[in-house]
């Protein structure tokens, strides 16, 4: 990038420019930046504090909110944007990336901490450390991941209160407001600690060792494969619970919640111990990756064995493919992912399938036994040779 290009990037987020102009109009087409729809449903924000004595529940909620937001809501959206040197349009881009709802011009919805956070992101762009596009993408990652995280944490705390205190779900949700203040600082500390550890591990996986993984994936390839241009080599696996849909129809809410939680916990533990990464869970299915074919194979066998032996969970179909992927937005993409998904549907309950290329990468490893099956015509891939992966020598993954 030339010096002129870099300067253009920096100027684009500076106040008074086209992209981040403090006087720029609203993205919905209103030059004033206001919300013209009088009938629009807006978030519940107290514009006028209620008079008289407040209930104990409301007092507790206001105290918790002030602690979490860094103070009382005193600022309107234009004041926050101006304080950060941004147009309202630019501020709204970042707020939307974080997952915030729309607020009107008169809604007193923000605190000084909101302004400081906005300024932090903007300063990174003005200093040339991030482009606008990167700033939006990174901000969106924070918004989406923390949103899922807090939902998970709240539901876990509510479920624990229902179980331990013998109260109803509705009562537990009300009590949560009084329980949280004692947990906030500890949860925040662990969150920052985990983020730093995960960032370090991610840098190792996605930067330091990326080239070594690509070199290891060269064997048996001709260079014209569909995934050849993709930048990362990974073992991609799926585990899919058998008969989950029919089981879930016969379960009540509590039983289903326990089954899903048991499934996710067991998957997360095995994948973590095996040195892999759980990419996501979708209902009765988990997607995971590992850095080597052997690591992927160990995780896959451990998953199949764990669900076969589990007294509550049904068996699982498992498949794993060694190939190249694209990693974006916390997810993974490419033909390798698609093939692993297709193979999962071909696997028998309690077994693991791999493709012939993955089998070639594992065939010299005495920890695994490979049993070729009849060719299958797979949608999008034509005829492939599935290979059943079974345990050879060694103990496999050891779970504490």
């Amino acid at each position: 990038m030339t010096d002129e290009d870099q300067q253009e990037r920096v100027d684009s987020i500076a106040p008074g420019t086209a992209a981040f102009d403090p006087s720029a109009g609203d993205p919905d087409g209103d030059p004033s930046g206001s919300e013209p729809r009088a009938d629009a449903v807006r978030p519940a924000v107290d514009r006028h504090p209620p008079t008289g004595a407040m209930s104990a529940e409301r007092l507790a909620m206001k105290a918790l909110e002030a602690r979490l937001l860094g103070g009382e809501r005193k600022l309107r959206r234009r004041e926050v944007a101006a304080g950060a040197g941004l147009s309202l349009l630019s501020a709204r881009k970042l707020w939307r990336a974080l997952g915030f709802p729309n607020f009107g011009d008169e809604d007193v919805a923000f605190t000084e901490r909101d302004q400081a956070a906005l300024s932090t992101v903007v300063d990174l762009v003005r200093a040339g450390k991030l482009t606008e596009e990167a700033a939006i993408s990174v901000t969106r990652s924070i918004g989406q991941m923390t949103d899922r995280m807090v939902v998970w944490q709240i539901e876990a705390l509510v479920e624990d209160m229902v179980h331990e205190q013998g109260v109803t779900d509705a009562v537990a949700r009300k009590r949560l407001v009084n329980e949280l203040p004692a947990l906030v600082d500890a949860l925040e500390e662990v969150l920052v600690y985990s983020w730093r550890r995960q960032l370090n591990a991610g840098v190792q996986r996605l930067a330091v060792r990326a080239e070594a993984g690509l070199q290891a994936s060269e064997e048996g390839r001709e260079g014209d494969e569909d995934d050849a241009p993709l930048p990362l080599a990974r073992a991609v696996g799926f585990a899919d619970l058998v008969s989950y849909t029919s089981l879930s129809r016969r379960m009540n809410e509590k039983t289903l919640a326990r089954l899903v939680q048991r499934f996710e916990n067991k998957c997360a533990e095995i994948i973590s111990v095996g040195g892999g990464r759980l990419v996501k869970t979708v209902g009765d299915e988990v997607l995971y990756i590992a850095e080597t074919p052997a690591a992927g194979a160990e995780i896959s066998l451990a998953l199949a064995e764990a669900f076969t032996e589990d007294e509550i969970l049904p068996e699982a179909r498992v498949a794993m493919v060694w190939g190249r992927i694209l990693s974006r937005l916390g997810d993974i993409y490419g033909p390798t992912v698609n093939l692993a998904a297709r193979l999962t549907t071909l696997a028998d309950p309690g077994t693991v399938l791999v493709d012939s290329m993955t089998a070639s990468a594992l065939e010299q490893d005495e920890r695994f036994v490979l049993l070729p099956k009849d060719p299958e015509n797979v949608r999008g891939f034509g005829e492939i040779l599935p290979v059943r992966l079974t345990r050879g020598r060694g103990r496999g993954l050891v779970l504490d």
Side-chain angles (χ1 to χ4, degrees):
M1 180 181 292
T2 65
D3 292 340
E4 291 79 3
D5 290 336
Q6 182 63 45
Q7 187 61 47
E8 183 179 352
R9 282 291 187 188
V10 174
D11 289 344
S12 68
I13 200 166
T17 61
F20 283 85
D21 187 350
S23 63
D26 185 271
D28 295 329
D30 179 9
S32 68
S34 63
E35 303 285 347
R37 297 171 299 156
D39 60 340
V41 178
R42 291 179 182 158
V45 177
D46 288 337
R47 299 184 185 181
H48 305 288
T51 58
M54 289 188 288
S55 67
E57 288 181 357
R58 185 166 176 77
L59 283 170
M61 185 62 243
K62 286 185 71 68
L64 177 61
E65 179 178 277
R67 180 175 176 184
L68 294 176
L69 301 187
E72 187 179 349
R73 300 177 192 245
K74 296 180 179 180
L75 301 175
R76 295 171 176 82
R77 64 181 192 173
R78 289 188 177 276
E79 295 169 330
V80 176
L86 285 177
S87 68
L88 180 57
L89 168 61
S90 302
R92 288 179 67 182
K93 286 182 180 178
L94 292 169
W95 288 330
R96 284 175 175 171
L98 285 168
F100 293 176
N102 279 340
F103 293 101
D105 276 346
E106 299 306 313
D107 289 327
V108 181
F110 297 95
T111 71
E112 292 180 355
R113 184 176 290 176
D114 289 304
Q115 182 172 308
L118 196 63
S119 297
T120 297
V121 179
V122 172
D123 288 346
L124 290 173
V125 179
R126 288 178 176 154
K129 296 178 180 178
L130 291 176
T131 64
E132 287 178 35
E133 293 82 1
I136 294 293
S137 184
V138 169
T139 303
R140 183 171 289 114
S141 75
I142 295 171
Q144 290 186 4
M145 295 301 105
T146 52
D147 173 73
R148 183 172 188 266
M149 179 187 68
V150 297
V151 170
W152 186 334
Q153 291 174 345
I154 288 172
E155 296 299 343
L157 292 172
V158 168
E159 184 180 1
D160 186 66
M161 282 190 285
V162 170
H163 183 264
E164 294 295 324
Q165 300 177 17
V167 297
T168 65
D169 185 270
V171 170
R173 292 180 190 278
K174 287 185 178 181
R175 288 188 181 179
L176 182 66
V177 174
N178 294 311
E179 299 280 348
L180 270 178
L183 302 174
V184 169
D185 290 342
L187 292 178
E188 183 177 20
E189 183 177 342
V190 175
L191 170 62
V192 175
Y193 159 77
S194 177
W195 176 78
R196 287 180 175 274
R197 293 283 302 188
Q198 296 288 2
L199 183 59
N200 177 69
V203 169
Q204 297 295 323
R205 287 195 315 268
L206 300 173
V208 177
R209 297 195 295 266
E211 186 176 355
L214 285 176
Q215 292 173 351
S217 72
E218 288 294 340
E219 186 175 350
R221 297 170 63 92
E222 298 177 359
D224 58 353
E225 292 82 5
D226 291 340
D227 65 347
L230 301 183
L232 294 174
R234 291 290 185 271
V236 177
F238 280 92
D240 181 19
L241 287 180
V242 177
S243 303
Y244 170 82
T245 302
S246 60
L247 279 172
S248 63
R249 289 173 180 167
R250 303 195 300 268
M251 294 178 179
N252 60 34
E253 180 182 339
K254 287 186 177 180
T255 306
L256 179 59
R258 289 195 188 112
L259 183 144
V260 171
Q261 187 171 349
R262 188 180 183 92
F263 171 62
E264 287 203 3
N265 289 348
K266 193 173 287 286
C267 287
E269 180 184 10
I270 292 171
I271 293 166
S272 176
V273 169
R277 184 173 77 86
L278 195 160
V279 178
K280 62 182 177 181
T281 56
V282 183
D284 60 340
E285 189 172 65
V286 62
L287 169 62
Y288 56 95
I289 57 175
E291 290 189 57
T292 67
E298 289 284 18
I299 291 170
S300 300
L301 287 170
L303 287 170
E305 292 164 359
F307 293 120
T308 298
E309 297 168 0
D310 194 283
E311 297 177 354
I312 298 175
L313 294 169
E315 290 183 303
R317 297 184 180 92
V318 184
M320 189 271 290
V321 175
W322 170 246
R324 296 185 179 182
I325 63 167
L326 175 69
S327 175
R328 289 291 185 275
L329 307 176
D331 208 338
I332 58 173
Y333 307 88
T336 300
V337 183
N338 298 334
L339 179 56
R342 300 280 193 274
L343 282 176
T344 306
T345 63
L346 299 178
D348 293 324
T351 68
V352 180
L353 284 185
V354 299
D355 68 320
S356 57
M357 186 76 73
T358 306
S360 297
L362 296 169
E363 62 184 357
Q364 301 302 320
D365 194 323
E366 63 180 10
R367 291 174 294 176
F368 311 113
V369 175
L370 299 153
L371 307 171
K373 297 172 68 69
D374 293 334
E376 294 273 2
N377 199 336
V378 176
R379 181 167 56 90
F381 294 90
E383 188 175 86
I384 66 168
L385 181 64
V387 180
R388 182 176 173 183
L389 175 69
T390 63
R391 177 79 58 199
R393 295 187 178 182
R395 299 176 58 190
L397 295 185
V398 178
L399 304 178
D400 296 334

